[in-house]
Structure formats: C-alpha cells, structure tokens
Amino acid sequence: MKAEELNKLRDQFKAEIAMQDGSCDYRVLVGMDTGGQAAGAVPVYEAMVEDTKKNGYKCKVIAAGAIGVSSLEPIVEVVAKDGTKTTYVHVNPDKAHEIMAGHIGQGKIVMDYVVGTTPLGKMGREANDPVVTNIEDTEFFKRQKRVVLHNCGKIDPCDINEYIGADGYQALAKALSSMKPRDVTAEVLKSGLRGRGGAGFPTGRKWGFINPDEDKDHYVICNFDEGDPGAFMNRAEIEGDPHGVIEGMALAGYAIGAKQGYIYVRAEYPLAIERLNNAIAQARKDGLLGEHIMGTDFTFDLELRLGAGAFVCGEETALIQSVEGKRGMPNPRPPFPAISGVWGKPTVVDNVETLFNIPLIIHNGADWFLGIGDEKSHGTKVFCLAGKTNNPGLVEIPLGTTLREVVYDIGGGCQAGKKFKAVQTGGPSGGCLTERDLDTPITYDTLVAAGSMMGSGGMIILDEDNCMVDVARFYMDFICDESCGKCTPCRVGTKRMLEMLTSITEGRGTQKTIDDLKYLAAEIKDSALCALGQTSANPILSTLNKFPEEYQAHIEKTCPSHVCKKLLKYEIDREKCIGCGACERNCPVKCIAPTDYVAPGKKLPARAIDQYKCIKCGTCMATCRFGAISRH
C-alpha cells in the first residue's frame, strides 16, 4: 500500500465511520475490553447482533474497547448519523433488546438506562437539570482530554480500516514521504515527550543516542509488562486501539534505523495478545509492516514476546533478558540498551503509552503537543483511578492538572461519604500523598518533590478506613514476591523490611523497630542493583513521613483504622446485650458463650467473647442489631 492508496482508504472509511456513505444509520459500540467482558458485555453484544439481523436494522454493532468508566460496565454507546451520542450503562441482555427495539427500531432514547440516571451522570448537576444522555457531557469526561485514548471505545479495534479512517498510519506516511529518520527524532525531542513508563526520560534524547545510519542491526522494544497493582492503562489502550502502538513502533524503527521490533507482553493479557496478533497480521497484509513499506526502502516487522508476569521485567535490562529467552534479571548500567541491548545490539525500549503518543506528535506536529499540559511536562497522562473512589476507571488528563481535580471533580470523592486520607501514585515504587498535597499539579517533578512519583499511571485512593502501616506492608509483601533475587540488598533487605512491618502491624514492634526500618530503607535505596530495589522503600518512607502518628499508635498496640487484626479486640457490653444469641450462633470459631450475668430489665444472660479463641473476623459485630458489640 502506497501513501496515495492510504489516503483513499482513509477518506472511504472516514465516511463510513461518520455514516455518510449510506451503509447504516447507527453505530452501536459495545465496550468489549477485558473489564467489559468480565462485567457481562459478551451476551449484550450477542443480543444486539441478533436483533440487528432478526429485524433488519440498518446499524453496525461493534465490539469496541473501553470508554473508561469501570463502575458502569457493560457500557453501550449508540451514535446516530447526525453525530448524536447516547450512552447506556449497566446494560444486560434484556436491556439490550429494549435499547435495540426502542432506540434503533423507533428512534427513541430509552431514558431508564442512560448514564444520567447514575451518580456519575448526576455529579455537579442540579436536580432540575436535563438528564445527561452522552457520557462526554458528564463532569467525569469534561475535565479530561482524550489524546492517547481518543480511539478507545470509538472504533473497532479488530478492523484496520476503522483505524485508517480515524487518520491511522497518516503519521507513518508523512514520515516516510517527507522526513528523514533524524527529522523524526528531532520532532519527538522538540515535543518534550517524556517516557510514560515511570522514569520520565526524554524520549527524543533516548532515540538520539542511536545512529540510524550505522551499518548494524538496531531494535525497538515495546514494554507492555504492566505489573503495578491496580493498573491496567496499557491493557485498555492496546485492547481498544492496537494499531496505535504498531504505528508508534514503526515510526520509532524508522527513526533509529531498526528493521525489527518486539512487543513484550505478559501472558495474563490474552485479549490484548489476540488483538495485537490480529492487528499485526492486518498491517502485514496491507503492506504497513514488512518489506518496502508504502513503496519505500523502509523495512520493519514486529513479533510478540510473552512474559510470565514478573514485575521486575518492567525494568528494561531485565525485560531484554526475557526477550532473549533468559531469566528476567536486571544488568548493571552502563552500558545502556541504546549501546548494547537485545542480542547486544543498540535498542530502544519504550512504554506502550509513550509509543501511542508518537504518531500523534508526527501527524500534528511538536508544537501541537507542546500546547498540551504543563510548561515542563507536556501532553497528557492516562491514569488508572482505583481504590476507594466513586468513579473508578481510566482517566486521561493534561499534565499540570491538580490531584484535587482528579480525586474530587473526576473521581467524585471517596465512597460512602468517607473522608479522603491519601492517594498512592507510582505503584509499589511510589508513595502516598495526603490532603495537604491535593493542590499539587500532576507533573513528573512536582510529584517527586511531594514525596511520590508519576510511575506508569496507577492512582489508588485511600480513605479514613485504610491503615497506612498496612498499606506499606502490602506493597512490601508484593515487592518481596517480585524481587528477582540477584542482588543482596533487594533479596534480603526487602524480606527484613517486610518482617519489621509485620511485627509492627501485629503489635510486636518497638521504637527501635521503626529506627531500624528507616536505616535499612535508606541503605537499600542506595545499594540495590535496579529500580525495583532502589524504590522498594518508597511506600515505607512515604508513610513514615506523612503518617508518623499511625506508626506510633501501632507501637502502642492500637490500629486507629481497625485494620490490623492482631491489634483488634471485640467486646460485648453486657449492659446492652439482650442475650438473643445471634452473635453466638454466627461466630465461625464458637468463641462466644453465655455468662452468668443478666442485665437489669433483660431476661436472658449476656454473652462474652473468649479473646484467646477470637479470630477478629467481625462477624459478631455485623450480626448484632442492638449495638452491644464494639471494636477497639
């Protein structure tokens, strides 16, 4: 396929997507990413396809990617020929049949199921305001800027023609027809794009280390080893728009003189793998991968490499080892991959989201990208908003947006009206930020200055019920499991830190335990081989700095948030107990029994808890209807 043919296809399928070719009157987009399918989107999609065939509806039902609001799935978006969009949420097969009959069959919106009937759809609106029918008109979406996610939920990820109709592969055509390899690198450098995988190194500088004209093999690797707890940004990006990363890799290959690229993906992402393999096959068939791409001398092809889910393989040298078929363990740097990478050859390793930005920068120009975001951190960042937030899901914001806007204006605050306590950014390598930090702009430098980091995009909201010592223990437990064991500081040091945290959460810690924890954390940070070990202490140091009073409370053998079981105590107030025996009957370990005491005005003996047998499960407190059981 040459550039002229690509332009004809673009115009053809752009018209089809806009329904200007007369092929249909409606596009029905069903969110069929992993999250959507887990929520029940498959039977919804099947019901809508069945109704279309059965009734001869002039519409196209598409298995699309994620719109991004996890709590409202399965989500269906109906787009009319005039551009009107209607978003239906919590759809099941019965609702799907109603939507098809009413909206597609009769042209009437089924108001009972639109997004405006949900708390997210009502957020920021007065009671007498019209019901929102398009999710893009909600506060959740209006405060975002969809750049990387612009195709997700809008096109068919399994159809290359829909990607082409959305200006796909135009950037590659532009680069091959009017730019030299060094010009592509220069444009990326000018844009100020920084790596979206965590470290934030300038992408153009990384590419500039490799001479595209030298007579040796060069390689491009896409780091799709998304391992942070609670993060699924890259998975959703690939599942909703796989050609975006393919075009980004082809541009990177052209810029550095590479003929081969590898996408390193964890095997736990079967749907993403399926859609990538499909997209690669389509691109090869259309001459957009392989030899003489678009009739030029440029040759570039892609291959998937499946990983076993090792968190350490997110580190680029460990990832390269795994790509080569070796055990994923990091190597000392230098030499850096740009000098000696996969097979000992110059290699560029970039994160999925970084590569998604490349076609947009080349197609629209560096100045366009510079106009988005903060003056030092340009563009947007996709975050996975999770934890105790009312609106969990994917959010894409211009860099420079404050944490407060994300937590409250987009996330809708904490669930059940609970008080916000902290937000964990950067995953296991990051740290906790508190209410005092909420007006911090989200940029690479400001988050580090506040005691955390950007990371790949995990953002977990914690409320008043979370114990920060337990949060630190959770992350350290994860890091211990994921340590490759190559260097002693990480292999042994993280284990010792976990033991100290466990002793604190179980009431065995002392002030010396905290002092030793601080000392060991600093030593590991300075001596570990790779970033996993070097940043392993960040959650500990962050919570020690932001919540010293919680550590002190645990030393005094109390957990203020009532999370650490070994520090909890359930007691029955014998004056309030009516002796009904509900707690006794429901106790899983039979540690509750009648006493000899009958409270004044009561007829039956009060119950008491055997503290030695109690497993602190809380069943008794949940069962009691008279408020006679308390937790300390």
Side-chain angles (χ1 to χ4, degrees):
M1 182 188 297
K2 295 186 178 181
E4 299 79 17
E5 297 173 282
L6 181 71
N7 287 335
K8 288 181 181 178
L9 283 175
R10 178 198 59 189
D11 295 341
Q12 175 187 340
F13 291 107
K14 191 182 286 288
E16 181 178 310
I17 292 170
M19 292 170 280
Q20 295 171 351
D21 63 346
S23 59
C24 62
D25 294 331
Y26 293 97
R27 281 169 62 88
V28 180
L29 299 143
V30 184
M32 287 275 281
D33 65 312
T34 295
Q37 292 190 26
V42 173
V44 169
Y45 172 78
E46 291 172 347
M48 291 183 148
V49 170
E50 177 190 338
D51 281 1
T52 299
K53 292 178 180 177
K54 179 180 177 182
N55 298 295
Y57 293 140
K58 201 175 179 183
C59 76
K60 184 176 182 180
V61 182
I62 297 166
I67 289 179
V69 194
S70 303
S71 60
L72 301 184
E73 290 175 336
I75 297 175
V76 173
E77 186 166 72
V78 176
V79 184
K81 186 180 285 189
D82 63 1
T84 303
K85 299 175 183 177
T86 305
T87 312
Y88 295 102
V89 299
H90 298 308
V91 181
N92 58 34
D94 290 338
K95 293 179 182 178
H97 290 307
E98 286 187 55
I99 292 166
M100 294 300 287
H103 197 145
I104 308 303
Q106 302 176 28
K108 297 177 181 178
I109 295 175
V110 184
M111 296 299 295
D112 289 346
Y113 310 139
V114 297
V115 65
T117 62
T118 68
L120 181 144
K122 296 175 182 177
M123 193 170 70
R125 302 178 67 82
E126 300 295 333
N128 57 350
D129 287 343
V131 176
V132 177
T133 56
N134 180 3
I135 200 166
E136 293 174 6
D137 293 331
T138 64
E139 290 297 309
F140 181 86
F141 265 79
K142 285 195 293 186
R143 293 179 179 271
Q144 298 184 48
K145 186 173 182 64
R146 298 252 157 165
V147 175
V148 170
L149 299 176
H150 72 288
N151 279 336
C152 291
K154 305 299 179 186
I155 65 170
D156 184 347
C158 297
D159 187 351
I160 190 174
N161 293 324
E162 294 228 341
Y163 180 73
I164 291 171
D167 290 330
Y169 292 107
Q170 288 296 312
L172 183 60
K174 177 181 177 180
L176 295 181
S177 63
S178 62
M179 300 174 78
K180 295 179 180 178
R182 292 183 187 275
D183 295 335
V184 174
T185 298
E187 194 73 6
V188 174
L189 182 62
K190 179 183 176 183
S191 74
L193 175 67
R194 297 173 66 172
R196 297 310 198 234
F201 193 81
T203 305
R205 279 186 61 194
K206 183 191 291 188
W207 292 9
F209 294 142
I210 298 179
N211 179 2
D213 300 321
E214 64 183 355
D215 188 20
K216 65 167 68 173
D217 291 334
H218 298 162
Y219 293 93
V220 177
I221 297 179
C222 170
N223 183 349
F224 187 16
D225 185 64
E226 187 172 44
D228 284 8
F232 55 89
M233 302 78 58
N234 295 164
R235 189 200 76 207
E237 290 156 3
I238 293 285
E239 289 178 354
D241 190 16
H243 287 281
V245 78
I246 293 172
E247 186 176 8
M249 291 190 72
L251 285 162
Y254 179 67
I256 69 166
K259 294 182 179 180
Q260 179 66 44
Y262 297 101
I263 301 178
Y264 184 83
V265 52
R266 53 181 47 224
E268 295 100 320
Y269 282 174
L271 183 60
I273 291 168
E274 177 187 325
R275 290 185 178 175
L276 275 172
N277 278 324
N278 175 69
I280 290 170
Q282 289 179 336
R284 283 193 190 123
K285 182 180 178 182
D286 286 357
L288 297 169
L289 284 177
E291 296 184 356
H292 303 294
I293 295 174
M294 295 188 185
T296 69
D297 293 333
F298 177 53
T299 294
F300 184 78
D301 209 346
L302 285 177
E303 186 178 326
L304 297 193
R305 283 285 198 270
L306 270 59
F311 180 67
V312 73
C313 287
E315 197 277 338
E316 60 183 6
T317 63
L319 183 152
I320 287 169
Q321 294 283 303
S322 188
V323 167
E324 293 178 345
K326 303 171 186 174
R327 182 179 176 185
M329 301 176 79
N331 287 326
R333 298 178 298 178
F336 290 91
I339 304 301
S340 178
V342 69
W343 322 121
K345 305 296 184 180
T347 304
V348 156
V349 182
D350 280 319
N351 164 268
V352 169
E353 190 175 330
T354 308
L355 290 162
F356 261 95
N357 277 289
I358 302 301
L360 300 168
I361 290 169
I362 299 304
H363 183 60
N364 297 304
D367 291 336
W368 165 82
F369 193 77
L370 287 166
I372 304 170
D374 183 81
E375 58 183 30
K376 291 185 178 180
S377 293
H378 306 291
T380 62
K381 181 72 190 78
V382 180
F383 286 96
C384 179
L385 195 60
K388 302 293 187 67
T389 177
N390 276 309
N391 301 326
L394 293 178
V395 300
E396 184 174 3
I397 55 169
L399 288 170
T401 303
T402 65
L403 284 166
R404 187 181 301 279
E405 290 176 81
V406 176
V407 172
Y408 288 103
D409 298 332
I410 296 175
C414 294
Q415 295 171 355
K418 295 284 186 176
K419 184 179 179 182
F420 169 84
K421 189 171 193 176
V423 53
Q424 171 84 12
T425 67
S429 302
C432 291
L433 301 175
T434 68
E435 195 167 16
R436 295 189 297 273
D437 304 305
L438 282 177
D439 292 316
T440 301
I442 299 171
T443 72
Y444 290 93
D445 302 324
T446 54
L447 290 182
V448 170
S452 188
M453 63 185 295
M454 183 84 71
S456 61
M459 187 177 287
I460 299 178
I461 308 300
L462 307 171
D463 68 14
E464 59 189 275
D465 292 336
N466 287 106
C467 169
M468 303 312 295
V469 185
D470 185 66
V471 168
R473 187 205 56 77
F474 166 80
Y475 280 115
M476 189 51 57
D477 187 38
F478 175 83
I479 290 166
C480 275
D481 281 346
E482 296 295 341
S483 173
C484 75
K486 184 171 184 176
C487 72
T488 303
C490 185
R491 182 182 68 250
V492 179
T494 56
K495 181 69 173 175
R496 297 290 86 81
M497 287 195 293
L498 176 60
E499 289 171 353
M500 292 178 190
L501 284 168
T502 301
S503 72
I504 293 172
T505 59
E506 292 182 352
R508 295 180 284 108
T510 64
Q511 184 58 49
K512 186 177 185 303
T513 310
I514 294 179
D515 294 339
D516 290 345
L517 191 57
K518 290 179 181 177
Y519 173 79
L520 185 56
E523 288 296 310
I524 295 171
K525 193 168 187 174
D526 291 339
S527 58
L529 175 62
C530 79
L532 184 147
Q534 293 162 6
T535 61
S536 63
N538 284 358
I540 295 174
L541 296 173
S542 170
T543 52
L544 274 167
N545 180 46
K546 305 282 187 179
F547 299 94
E549 71 284 354
E550 289 206 22
Y551 279 86
Q552 191 58 44
H554 283 70
I555 296 304
E556 296 169 2
K557 298 183 174 26
T558 61
C559 176
S561 302
H562 306 303
V563 170
C564 301
K565 286 189 175 183
K566 290 292 181 73
L567 300 181
L568 296 183
K569 186 177 182 181
Y570 289 87
E571 291 183 320
I572 299 176
D573 185 338
R574 65 180 192 172
E575 302 300 328
K576 292 182 180 179
C577 180
I578 69 166
C580 67
C583 58
E584 181 183 354
R585 291 190 297 273
N586 285 280
C587 177
V589 293
K590 306 303 180 187
C591 71
I592 302 174
T595 67
D596 295 331
Y597 180 79
V598 179
K602 308 294 193 300
K603 297 179 180 180
L604 299 172
R607 265 51 177 178
I609 299 172
D610 184 336
Q611 298 297 334
Y612 181 77
K613 294 181 180 179
C614 179
I615 61 171
K616 317 293 194 300
C617 66
T619 302
C620 57
M621 188 173 174
T623 301
C624 182
R625 296 185 293 113
F626 305 98
I629 302 178
S630 58
R631 179 179 58 190
H632 305 284

